[in-house]
Amino acid sequence: MKKNPIEQNMTKIQKAPRKIGGIQAKKSESTRIQVINSAIQCLLKYGYSKTTMSRIAEEANISRGAMMHHYSNRLTVMQNVIQHLHEKRLRAFRRAVTSNSNQKTSIHATLTDYWNQVNRPLFIAFEELSMAARTDPDLDLILSPARTAFNEEWYKMAVTVFPDWKSGRKNFDLALRLCQNMMDGMAINVLNGSLDQSMIESLLQHLEGQIRTLKNAKN
């Protein structure tokens, strides 16, 4: 039966809150993402100790009250930042792996991909949080699981890319840890100015040679 004009208007009114709710939800999500990205920028610019709620709000160009509506304190912001960094870093490494999946992946290409990743802002922000977590138990409580999950996923991707190391898993594990610790350390030393840029290529070549030696050696 066809509704009369009054019933039609009532139907529109009843539907309105759902529509507004959807718009509000999108706006809230947009604000949350804006806060997360601004917090990352603050970590890069000022470091963890100076990344305050007020500074994040200023960077996001929103009121502190609007930010507090979504995040009650700095730790809740950092919890979301860590999750965001974790997901984006894994996607970046996964893309690097996928780009070589259709060809015989060389050790050199993989090392180059890894080095490029650890010199991007996402790594820098994560390392800033890692250093702060050393003396901040609450921050460490939310950072440690993300770090463990990242290492586990990274290892799985490496196993997929290098199936020819299957018979030499002991040396494979050693090569991965050597690669990760050396390049992560190099990236940090580049940041603090203790590693001369002119040394990077030689160090990476030496690392590549060590990994090839492990690959060719018997376990």
Side-chain angles (χ1 to χ4, degrees):
M1 181 182 295
K2 186 177 180 180
K3 295 180 180 180
N4 62 44
I6 294 177
E7 290 175 326
Q8 290 175 355
N9 286 337
M10 287 299 297
T11 301
K12 291 179 181 178
I13 292 172
Q14 290 168 358
K15 289 182 177 179
R18 287 194 290 271
K19 184 177 180 181
I20 293 173
I23 294 173
Q24 186 61 43
K26 288 181 180 179
K27 184 177 179 181
S28 294
E29 180 61 20
S30 176
T31 300
R32 283 193 289 270
I33 293 172
Q34 189 176 355
V35 169
I36 289 171
N37 288 332
S38 297
I40 292 172
Q41 288 303 311
C42 286
L43 288 171
L44 297 173
K45 290 180 181 178
Y46 311 112
Y48 179 74
S49 63
K50 295 182 180 179
T51 297
T52 61
M53 292 290 278
S54 296
R55 185 160 269 165
I56 295 171
E58 182 181 356
E59 183 74 23
N61 197 29
I62 61 175
S63 68
R64 194 171 187 276
M67 188 173 71
M68 294 290 287
H69 177 72
H70 299 284
Y71 301 100
S72 58
N73 54 49
R74 183 174 69 162
L75 194 61
T76 58
V77 176
M78 292 304 147
Q79 187 169 14
N80 282 264
V81 165
I82 289 168
Q83 182 62 30
H84 181 76
L85 290 172
H86 169 72
E87 292 172 355
K88 292 200 72 172
R89 289 184 71 207
L90 280 179
R91 282 200 298 270
F93 275 98
R94 195 173 288 112
R95 282 196 301 270
V97 169
T98 303
S99 67
N100 293 316
S101 62
N102 296 323
Q103 58 184 2
K104 186 176 180 180
T105 305
S106 69
I107 292 174
H108 178 78
T110 304
L111 290 179
T112 300
D113 286 337
Y114 193 101
W115 179 246
N116 288 336
Q117 293 299 327
V118 297
N119 281 277
R120 291 180 177 174
L122 295 182
F123 174 83
I124 298 170
F126 198 86
E127 285 305 308
E128 178 64 33
L129 289 169
S130 295
M131 291 302 296
R134 188 179 66 84
T135 55
D136 188 325
D138 292 329
L139 180 60
D140 185 59
L141 192 63
I142 59 178
L143 184 69
S144 289
R147 185 190 294 113
T148 299
F150 176 84
N151 287 335
E152 290 175 352
E153 188 66 23
W154 182 72
Y155 181 85
K156 289 178 183 177
M157 285 189 284
V159 169
T160 301
V161 173
F162 293 104
D164 51 327
W165 282 65
K166 188 175 181 180
S167 61
R169 188 53 60 86
K170 181 179 178 181
N171 282 356
F172 177 70
D173 291 351
L174 181 58
L176 281 184
R177 299 310 168 201
L178 175 62
C179 169
Q180 185 178 36
N181 284 281
M182 181 170 174
M183 287 206 279
D184 286 9
M186 286 173 62
I188 292 170
N189 287 334
V190 167
L191 282 175
N192 62 33
S194 60
L195 176 60
D196 194 307
Q197 291 281 348
S198 64
M199 289 293 297
I200 292 174
E201 188 60 33
S202 295
L203 288 170
L204 292 178
Q205 288 178 3
H206 181 72
L207 174 60
E208 183 176 343
Q210 291 298 311
I211 292 175
R212 290 189 185 281
T213 298
L214 286 169
K215 187 176 187 301
N216 296 327
K218 293 181 180 181
N219 283 276

